[in-house]
Amino acid sequence: MDIVQQAKIVDDIRETLTGMVGQRLKVRANLGRSKILVNEGELTQVHPQLFIMEVDRKRGRKARQSYQYVDVLTGVVELFQEGEPVFGPFLVEDEEEEIVVLSLDSLDD
């Protein structure tokens, strides 16, 4: 995938999340070394390079966490709303093991 395609997909992710500010989402972040962090909270802010969520903690406390759009693109961070993924995979392999790039527009079809 070239840099222009990546930039377009990141812009599409940002636009989608901009429309979801204030909504509750579940975040699944792969931290590596078999560490997966799952949180649920409200999408509070969308910035040019990252988005911020206010996630629920124990005893009614809240914490802020930021995530980068590029991590959503690469699948390191996955977002769910009401149990359904917000975004599908952006990179998939076909039968010939070639990587095929999917944009947000092609996921709607």
Side-chain angles (χ1 to χ4, degrees):
M1 173 183 336
D2 68 1
I3 192 78
V4 174
Q5 289 175 317
Q6 290 176 0
K8 182 184 179 334
I9 292 173
V10 167
D11 287 342
D12 290 344
I13 292 169
R14 182 176 45 247
E15 286 178 24
T16 300
L17 291 179
T18 299
M20 298 178 82
V21 171
Q23 296 183 21
R24 289 194 59 81
L25 299 173
K26 184 177 185 179
V27 180
R28 183 179 184 270
N30 185 344
L31 304 177
R33 294 189 175 237
S34 300
K35 294 179 185 176
I36 296 176
L37 181 65
V38 178
N39 288 310
E40 192 167 331
E42 181 181 331
L43 177 63
T44 57
Q45 297 176 12
V46 175
H47 296 281
Q49 299 299 319
L50 55 92
F51 59 98
I52 299 173
M53 292 196 54
E54 193 169 276
V55 297
D56 302 330
R57 293 287 187 215
K58 294 179 181 177
R59 300 183 188 136
R61 294 185 180 186
K62 304 276 185 183
R64 286 189 171 180
Q65 292 187 334
S66 62
Y67 302 95
Q68 296 182 2
Y69 303 113
V70 72
D71 290 334
V72 176
L73 171 67
T74 59
V76 172
V77 172
E78 298 174 89
L79 298 170
F80 301 88
Q81 186 175 36
E82 297 176 2
E84 296 295 320
V86 176
F87 303 104
F90 295 103
L91 299 174
V92 294
E93 293 183 19
D94 64 7
E95 289 95 32
E96 298 175 4
E97 295 187 21
E98 292 180 13
I99 294 180
V100 177
V101 178
L102 299 174
S103 69
L104 292 177
D105 298 330
S106 65
L107 292 175
D108 293 335
D109 297 336

